Amino acid sequence: MAPRKPLNPAAEADVGRDFYAGVAPDLDVGFFSPMWHLISLGHLVATDLDRIARRHGLSIADLLVLGAMRIAGPERLRATDLALRLHITNAALSPRIARLARAKLLERVPTAADKRAHDLVLTEEGAVKTDAAIAEVSRTGQFARNFVKLSDADRAGIARTLGLLHDMADRDFVP
Amino acid sequence: MAPRKPLNPAAEADVGRDFYAGVAPDLDVGFFSPMWHLISLGHLVATDLDRIARRHGLSIADLLVLGAMRIAGPERLRATDLALRLHITNAALSPRIARLARAKLLERVPTAADKRAHDLVLTEEGAVKTDAAIAEVSRTGQFARNFVKLSDADRAGIARTLGLLHDMADRDFVP
DNA sequence: TAAGATTGACAAATCAATCTTT
DNA sequence: AAAGATTGATTTGTCAATCTTA
């Protein structure tokens, strides 16, 4: 049999859902398509972001760390605070922070109150580089360009509903 | 300054969006929160799925390969067909297929018409294991449990809109 | 030339174990 | 004990280069 040209992902996901509805009628398969869209689309968006970040000498992982610190503003974040916001483990964050500190994009300053911890502070150069990369994401990122093609109602709806799901997943998250 | 308890992700994302709206008024930042939800939530869902897959001796990557083949049914897929559907590179797929073949969950049979390619066929054991893992995702997966808490309208809306975005990202995807 | 598949070098995530400080 | 941070072993992805066949 000649390999069929794959359907578009939305139709393909529903084929899978319907297949499993037939194979296992006792299962709830309503979550099937949106879950696959989340995983695959999340991966595609992250890959595109990584390409953009690398033009600035960063990875997407670097950019997420720097962006979270930029947004935190004057607030002093420790590694653990950052890991909670990014939903990654401390072990993943450690070498990244070391690398960004070596590149002089952030500084580790000892926390006064706790000798175990370090406060993380963005340098001027780190802030400038972060803003430049984020501006390019806004101008040339695939997601930004595709998102505006949705209707106003769809944009508002997906932003709100993804927020609800993200909040629920955040409550399930244990580092 | 004492580290502030992080807001819920939905509110936190909007703080970031508003920050960059202030820093760079020329930028469109409407995509900001939903893009972050996609990346972070996609990562959380994938990590949870990986935990479930490992109880069956699989990884999430294995499960996605096996699931795609299960859904394809009688159709013979080659590695390249699979890579296109999963939006990963052939290089990532190669060692995975080799591993699954060693575990006797799928077989590689030479393609009659093309000596470069192999057709991939799920074994009986592979199909059984795939269905068992997917049933457990439906019963105990965090996403499945959270998704049903949404309203009927929100479930339908997000499934449809994620499908639109996934289709657009798929058209941008070049392997 | 291009397509299917594979390999090697690298990046980034997980878990488990460890060290220091609370 | 428990919390903050780090290191080592393993997995999976990318890109670049290579080999064979179309």
Side-chain angles (χ1 to χ4, degrees), chain A residues 3-145:
Chain A
R4 164 176 65 91
K5 181 182 186 306
L7 299 170
N8 53 339
E12 193 82 30
D14 289 346
V15 167
R17 177 201 59 196
D18 295 343
F19 173 83
Y20 269 104
V23 165
D26 56 317
L27 287 185
D28 170 28
V29 295
F31 72 96
F32 207 101
S33 298
M35 187 181 80
W36 167 239
H37 293 324
L38 266 180
I39 294 173
S40 177
L41 184 54
H43 176 241
L44 286 166
V45 170
T47 304
D48 184 55
L49 246 61
D50 195 57
R51 249 189 301 267
I52 295 172
R54 283 188 194 285
R55 288 189 218 132
H56 297 258
L58 302 170
S59 66
I60 178 183
D62 293 332
L63 185 54
L64 293 179
V65 166
L66 295 172
M69 292 183 61
R70 187 80 171 103
I71 286 166
E75 186 187 353
R76 293 290 190 86
L77 295 179
R78 301 163 306 155
T80 298
D81 303 319
L82 216 38
L84 275 173
R85 280 166 173 72
L86 300 178
H87 298 115
I88 60 176
T89 60
N90 251 322
L93 203 48
S94 254
R96 193 110 50 83
I97 289 174
R99 187 187 164 282
L100 291 170
R102 251 196 324 274
K104 302 243 186 289
L105 301 179
L106 58 79
E107 280 180 291
R108 271 191 284 209
V109 301
T111 300
D114 187 338
K115 283 184 184 162
R116 293 171 303 181
H118 298 265
D119 284 348
L120 303 174
V121 183
L122 213 53
T123 63
E124 179 63 24
E125 185 189 348
V128 168
K129 191 161 250 192
T130 304
D131 291 355
I134 286 185
E136 194 173 338
V137 170
S138 171
R139 296 215 183 81
T140 73
Q142 289 173 357
F143 184 81
R145 289 210 319 274

Side-chain angles (χ1 to χ4, degrees), chain B residues 59 88-89 91-92 96 114-116:
Chain B
S59 66
I88 60 175
T89 59
R96 192 111 50 82
D114 188 338
K115 283 184 184 161
R116 293 171 302 181

